[in-house]
Amino acid sequence: MFDTGSSKKQKNPFFLLFIAGVALICSFLMLEVVVFYRSMDFHRRLDAEGNLRFVVSRIKGHLEISRFALDLPPYLKSLEWLNDELREHPALYGVLIREENKKPVIVNTFPPEFIFREEDAGSCSDGTIRDAIYFLCRTIEVFPGETLFIVVAVDTTQQLKAFYRLIFLSCAAGGSIIVLFFFVWLHLKRLVEKEEKLKQRLNASEKLAVTGKLAAMIAHEIRNPLNTISMAVQYMRETGEVSQDMMEILNAETNKLKELSGELFGIHRDFSSGLEEFSVAEIIMELENKFSPRASSQGIAFFSDCSCESARIKGNKKWFLRALENMLRNAFEAVTPGEGKVVLRVKSEGINIVFSVEDNGCGITDSDRLMIFEPFYTTKNQGFGLGLYIVQKVAETHGGSVKVESSKDRGTIFIMTIPLGGVEFGGKKESKNSHCGR
């Protein structure tokens, strides 16, 4: 069964990405509207200021002329002549001029239906808008003792229409982008879900393939010892004799089955459990007793070189010994009988104790060297490919590491390094400068 909880957790980031994208698009649209509105307000005020200066300059020019031209007709002496000129001005909706603090109006070009309210006079000094009409008013001293209150109005209907048109187009564009973004997000989401399903299927297929490979390997490795045991039992049953040779065969094949089952049980084993203190000398002795007879029978030169026999290690002795056995077993299988040489060395290097197994066998290729510590990887016709994997796990559990040095047709050296933090000498903790009694 698949983990639906993890699948849901993977979907959430895509939904959050969609929400973040929509929020970003809306933010840009709002920013565009605000910038445009402020720009429109600035230009609206700028236009009103320009028109106000135009009106003031016309009034001042008229007053200058009227001071020197004494024979002007009454119509030109007043400001009423400005009504016609200002009504024809294309940028002005209306102009109102009166003397300060006096109700009578000198000039008023506003449409008849428009009424300028006194409350508008209090707010128009900084610019105000009512019914799409922008008002700007000033109290100006045109000459000493002559002060006029002037109101200039500009029609901003077209500007507002442009502003509303911008809002509409921005919303339309934003909506289109959001819809497009939604479909892109939906497509990506489906692709990711499809990829997740394919990964799950691939993982299931890989697990099935590994299970099948493991089952085939187990069946192959167990079949031969079982066949031998079955034949030996059948022979003793038919002859009624229990020979020593048959018992040795049964014992050997039984031990082989034990080794195979031990490798399988060691895949997920906790190698740090069952800690005990043991000496390096004990390890070397057990290894020599186990591999010396094999070396003699195959004509292989096997010897050990240990400069740290007094060293004591605290760890899982059974799996520690098993790791070294796997290294030695690989070395014996790599050399040629009658010509081979296998050397087990133990020495101290700084704060570490180093176990190495050297052989003069066929060596390991570069491609195999990258894979030899992977579980179930093997180039042999027998075994599960777990030997070196167990070596690596044992070394890592004890805080160390394992590496390999090899040359094609020249031999191989497996090196397992264990920190001295878990090593004691003579029952007492050795200092970091110790050299194993050298």
Side-chain angles (χ1 to χ4, degrees):
M1 294 180 66
F2 300 121
D3 186 4
T4 57
S6 61
S7 177
K8 289 181 180 178
K9 289 181 181 179
Q10 293 176 359
K11 293 178 184 177
N12 288 336
F14 288 93
F15 180 72
L16 294 177
L17 178 63
F18 173 72
I19 296 299
V22 172
L24 186 63
I25 292 171
C26 293
S27 299
F28 275 119
L29 293 177
M30 292 178 62
L31 180 63
E32 179 187 16
V33 170
V34 170
V35 170
F36 184 84
Y37 181 81
R38 290 191 175 182
S39 176
M40 182 183 68
D41 185 64
F42 172 77
H43 286 91
R44 186 168 52 195
R45 183 182 181 87
L46 197 64
D47 290 343
E49 291 278 1
N51 290 318
L52 182 63
R53 284 194 295 271
F54 167 75
V55 173
V56 172
S57 66
R58 297 294 288 144
I59 294 174
K60 286 185 176 182
H62 169 73
L63 293 178
E64 286 282 350
I65 293 173
S66 63
R67 282 181 174 233
F68 298 100
L70 302 177
D71 57 344
L72 286 175
Y75 172 76
L76 291 178
K77 287 185 178 181
S78 67
L79 293 176
E80 292 182 1
W81 61 270
L82 277 175
N83 281 304
D84 296 333
E85 181 179 345
L86 296 178
R87 283 195 180 96
E88 298 297 328
H89 198 287
L92 290 173
Y93 176 77
V95 177
L96 184 144
I97 304 173
R98 71 185 184 192
E99 293 184 18
E100 186 183 12
N101 299 325
K102 294 182 180 180
K103 296 294 183 180
V105 175
I106 301 174
V107 174
N108 185 3
T109 65
F110 282 96
E113 66 274 9
F114 184 85
I115 300 176
F116 183 76
R117 300 175 303 193
E118 287 301 319
E119 55 265 26
D120 292 333
S123 59
C124 66
S125 58
D126 294 326
T128 184
I129 189 167
R130 174 164 62 92
D131 298 331
I133 306 300
Y134 185 80
F135 299 93
L136 185 66
C137 56
R138 290 285 188 275
T139 300
I140 298 175
E141 186 177 18
V142 290
F143 284 107
E146 296 184 21
T147 304
L148 299 178
F149 177 73
I150 304 173
V151 179
V152 173
V154 179
D155 190 355
T156 62
T157 303
Q158 296 302 320
Q159 292 180 344
L160 290 175
K161 286 183 178 180
F163 177 67
Y164 295 143
R165 191 179 300 115
L166 172 70
I167 294 178
F168 173 76
L169 293 176
S170 298
C171 292
S176 301
I177 295 173
I178 291 174
V179 170
L180 179 62
F181 186 73
F182 171 76
F183 282 109
V184 171
W185 168 79
L186 189 62
H187 180 66
L188 290 176
K189 179 173 173 289
R190 289 177 179 175
L191 287 179
V192 171
E193 289 177 351
K194 186 180 293 185
E195 182 184 3
E196 183 64 25
K197 289 180 181 178
L198 289 176
K199 283 183 180 179
Q200 291 175 348
R201 291 178 182 175
L202 181 60
N203 290 336
S205 299
E206 289 179 350
K207 289 179 182 179
L208 186 60
V210 171
T211 303
K213 180 181 178 181
L214 179 59
M217 293 172 64
I218 294 174
H220 174 74
E221 294 298 326
I222 292 179
R223 184 186 295 116
N224 292 335
L226 286 179
N227 286 340
T228 303
I229 293 173
S230 178
M231 292 172 61
V233 172
Q234 183 66 24
Y235 173 80
M236 289 188 293
R237 180 183 296 171
E238 291 177 356
T239 61
E241 298 179 1
V242 180
S243 65
Q244 185 65 29
D245 293 338
M246 289 298 172
M247 293 302 296
E248 290 181 359
I249 292 174
L250 289 173
N251 185 56
E253 297 301 324
T254 303
N255 289 334
K256 187 180 293 185
L257 289 175
K258 286 182 179 179
E259 289 180 359
L260 292 173
S261 62
E263 284 192 9
L264 291 175
F265 286 135
I267 299 177
H268 298 294
R269 179 80 182 213
D270 182 10
F271 302 111
S272 62
S273 61
L275 298 180
E276 58 179 311
E277 187 180 293
F278 54 90
S279 66
V280 172
E282 296 176 22
I283 294 290
I284 300 301
M285 186 179 299
E286 291 191 37
L287 293 174
E288 288 179 345
N289 291 338
K290 185 167 186 176
F291 286 92
S292 292
R294 178 175 178 176
S296 300
S297 64
Q298 296 180 359
I300 298 173
F302 170 59
F303 58 92
S304 60
D305 178 15
C306 180
S307 59
C308 299
E309 292 185 352
S310 61
R312 298 188 65 80
I313 301 174
K314 187 175 183 180
N316 190 312
K317 180 181 178 181
K318 173 186 173 182
W319 286 103
F320 201 87
L321 184 62
R322 181 64 176 274
L324 294 174
E325 287 177 359
N326 289 347
M327 293 166 62
L328 285 169
R329 190 177 296 110
N330 282 345
F332 272 85
E333 293 174 353
V335 298
T336 303
E339 302 176 359
K341 182 177 72 172
V342 177
V343 182
L344 170 64
R345 289 189 174 91
V346 185
K347 62 181 179 178
S348 171
E349 289 185 356
I351 61 172
N352 299 318
I353 185 168
V354 181
F355 297 84
S356 64
V357 175
E358 180 179 356
D359 67 68
N360 63 344
C362 57
I364 304 174
T365 63
D366 293 338
S367 58
D368 288 335
R369 196 183 309 173
L370 298 174
M371 299 294 296
I372 55 177
F373 293 107
E374 296 294 324
F376 304 112
Y377 181 82
T378 180
T379 58
K380 305 174 186 176
N381 295 325
Q382 59 182 4
F384 297 132
L386 295 172
L388 292 177
Y389 171 76
I390 292 175
V391 173
Q392 185 183 52
K393 289 301 179 183
V394 170
E396 290 176 352
T397 302
H398 287 78
S401 62
V402 61
K403 65 178 182 178
V404 59
E405 299 175 358
S406 183
S407 299
K408 188 65 177 176
D409 298 325
R410 292 188 178 181
T412 302
I413 305 177
F414 281 94
I415 303 170
M416 184 169 67
T417 304
I418 305 296
L420 281 175
V423 179
E424 296 184 2
F425 301 94
K428 297 181 180 179
K429 276 284 184 182
E430 184 73 2
S431 66
K432 292 185 177 180
N433 297 322
S434 171
H435 295 281
C436 295
R438 286 185 180 179

